[in-house]
Amino acid sequence: MQTLRERLLQQKRQIVQRLKQNDHFGLIRASAHDSVGELSNYDNHPADSGTELYEREKDIALNEHTKRELHDIERALQAMEDGTYGICEVCGKPIPFERLEAIPTTTFCKEHSPDQVVSQQRPIEESVLSPPFGEFVVHKEAETFDAEDSWQKVARFGTSETPSDVQEDTVHYDRMYIDAGEQIGYVEPFETFAATDLYGTGITIYPNIVHEQYEQVLDDEQLMSPLGDLPAYEKDPYTS
């Protein structure tokens, strides 16, 4: 009991000192303008005013959290004075010492703690946040048609870009967008003409335009594969 009392008193002293040093997170001042040294925000940019508002809201939340923490400490100390510390306020059963040691401010047992529900709600800001190319699902064994592919497919009908806006060499205005040469729906060119059965066996080639272009590129470069000529001891494992 004495050990827990000392811990509570020490926490109380630290909180009171912290609130005194930061003027209750700057809330003692009359307005948010005082905390940033401004007499008025008339000539401030709206973004600057938004930042000041956000910081003010954060200070209010931190101040309320600290005041609640201080209230719980004082409540636990009062329970020690009344001789009810370590007894659950709901069921009247003793609170295990391990719980008091972990949360010395508690006056409830684990079963009757008022904080039983863990919130699953996410910050409202996340509803308008998204990855760089929008939300999409990534599968370990499949290439998905994501938001980036959707944009590329629509951009094929033309954009307002000009050749000076694109780093890659382009020959047609329908290719004036980033990564215009990227494949859509697949990663490697051979995926459009090579196929296997459900178990990965029985490789079959379905000739098409991409297949002809693929072979032509290898023939022009006189290569065995896109990786280059392979040594004899690597050729068989690679082709298999």
Side-chain angles (χ1 to χ4, degrees):
M1 183 71 69
Q2 184 62 27
T3 302
L4 296 177
R5 184 192 300 273
E6 290 297 329
R7 285 183 56 186
L8 291 172
L9 290 175
Q10 182 180 3
Q11 293 179 10
K12 180 179 180 180
R13 288 192 296 267
Q14 292 175 349
I15 293 176
V16 172
Q17 182 66 19
R18 185 165 66 248
L19 291 175
K20 181 179 180 181
Q21 290 177 348
N22 59 27
D23 293 334
H24 288 261
F25 294 92
L27 298 180
I28 294 181
R29 299 183 178 92
S31 65
H33 305 303
D34 297 337
S35 62
V36 294
E38 295 281 353
L39 298 178
S40 172
N41 65 347
Y42 181 79
D43 59 343
N44 286 2
H45 191 278
D48 295 332
S49 299
T51 300
E52 295 174 9
L53 177 61
Y54 164 76
E55 293 296 335
R56 190 67 168 181
E57 292 174 342
K58 184 175 67 175
D59 291 337
I60 293 175
L62 291 174
N63 185 65
E64 291 180 354
H65 176 79
T66 305
K67 290 175 61 177
R68 178 181 177 183
E69 186 178 4
L70 182 61
H71 174 267
D72 292 341
I73 293 175
E74 293 176 343
R75 185 174 182 176
L77 291 173
Q78 185 61 44
M80 288 183 177
E81 295 294 332
D82 299 338
T84 59
Y85 184 77
I87 304 298
C88 177
E89 293 186 9
V90 177
C91 63
K93 296 182 180 180
I95 302 175
F97 176 75
E98 291 78 10
R99 175 171 173 79
L100 294 174
E101 189 177 23
I103 314 175
T105 58
T106 186
T107 55
F108 300 92
C109 64
K110 180 180 178 181
E111 290 73 15
H112 297 99
S113 173
D115 299 326
Q116 292 287 344
V117 179
V118 178
S119 176
Q120 301 297 328
Q121 296 181 356
R122 302 298 303 167
I124 189 62
E125 293 84 358
E126 292 188 0
S127 61
V128 296
L129 298 179
S130 61
F133 299 110
E135 298 180 0
F136 56 91
V137 180
V138 178
H139 299 281
K140 296 182 179 179
E141 300 179 357
E143 178 70 15
T144 60
F145 189 88
D146 56 25
E148 180 185 7
D149 293 326
S150 300
W151 157 249
Q152 291 174 343
K153 193 171 184 64
V154 174
R156 290 176 181 270
F157 293 94
T159 67
S160 61
E161 304 293 345
T162 65
S164 62
D165 300 319
V166 183
Q167 296 181 356
E168 297 85 358
D169 294 334
T170 57
V171 296
H172 198 279
Y173 267 81
D174 290 343
R175 311 290 289 176
M176 297 296 174
Y177 57 91
I178 299 176
D179 294 332
E182 181 179 337
Q183 301 91 339
I184 296 180
Y186 62 94
V187 178
E188 298 294 341
F190 63 80
E191 296 181 27
T192 63
F193 55 80
T196 63
D197 60 14
L198 183 63
Y199 303 99
T201 59
I203 300 177
T204 305
I205 301 298
Y206 297 93
N208 56 20
I209 297 179
V210 179
H211 178 235
E212 295 177 0
Q213 295 174 348
Y214 189 79
E215 287 188 337
Q216 187 63 43
V217 171
L218 294 180
D219 291 342
D220 293 342
E221 299 294 336
Q222 297 183 352
L223 297 175
M224 298 169 55
S225 76
L227 303 178
D229 292 333
L230 302 176
Y233 64 89
E234 292 185 1
K235 179 178 178 181
D236 293 339
Y238 176 78
T239 56
S240 62

